[in-house]
Amino acid sequence: MSGEKSFNASEWQWLDGSTPTYWRWQNKMPDQDKRKGYPGYQNYVALGKDGRWDDTFETMKMPYACNYCGKYIVLAKHVSWTTARDLCESYGLTMAKINSK
């Protein structure tokens, strides 16, 4: 299958290394797209306005959420994934992960 990408969504992991027990990918996602101007492939997850997941780039700036005792703190500041992780950790929190509907 020359030219086609083969990717299994079940290979994704959360930051803590755990495997998601719930999936809600947008149609035909994750596609592991590679775009000019972005390093590497889309190896990170973004939550769309419709609640579905999309794979995205580490450097893509968007809002983020931290996990606080099982509840999410959503901040509107648009930052990269790495900056979001660092900000959550600076408050003693972890980045949010979705495990059920």
Side-chain angles (χ1 to χ4, degrees), residues 6 13 17 27 35 41 51-52 65 68-69 77 82 97 101:
S6 175
Q13 292 182 344
N27 291 336
R35 294 187 200 156
Y41 290 95
R52 296 191 178 272
Y68 175 71
C69 299
K77 185 176 182 179
T82 304
K97 61 182 182 179
K101 290 184 180 183

Side-chain angles (χ1 to χ4, degrees), residues 17 23-24 26 30 38 47 50 53 59 87:
W23 304 97
R24 189 150 191 225
Q26 293 178 3
Y38 291 97
L47 183 64
D50 64 354
W53 302 1
T59 56
L87 285 169

